[in-house]
């Protein structure tokens, strides 16, 4: 009984860790994509650059 509970608790902790790690990696990828985007998004109220 205790072994089963320990296994379930360890599995839940492992899943939580992996989900957090994946979320952190996605956030870092989004940050790099934003930082290396050659054209910044237009902000309201700012004149558009003319090409």
């Amino acid at each position: 009984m205790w072994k089963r509970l320990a296994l379930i608790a360890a599995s839940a902790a492992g899943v939580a860790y992996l989900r957090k790690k994946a979320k952190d990696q996605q956030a870092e990828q989004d940050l790099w994509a934003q930082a290396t985007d050659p054209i910044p998004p237009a902000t309201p109220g700012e004149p558009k650059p003319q090409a």
Side-chain angles (χ1 to χ4, degrees):
M1 175 77 174
W2 288 107
K3 287 182 184 180
R4 189 177 303 171
L5 285 175
L7 180 61
I8 291 171
S11 296
V15 168
Y17 172 77
L18 291 176
R19 288 185 69 188
K20 182 182 183 314
K21 188 173 180 180
K23 187 177 179 182
D24 290 346
Q25 286 177 347
Q26 184 63 44
E28 186 173 354
Q29 285 179 355
D30 292 345
L31 182 62
W32 274 107
Q34 182 182 9
T36 58
D37 188 12
I39 302 172
T43 57
E46 184 178 315
K48 295 183 180 179
Q50 302 203 358

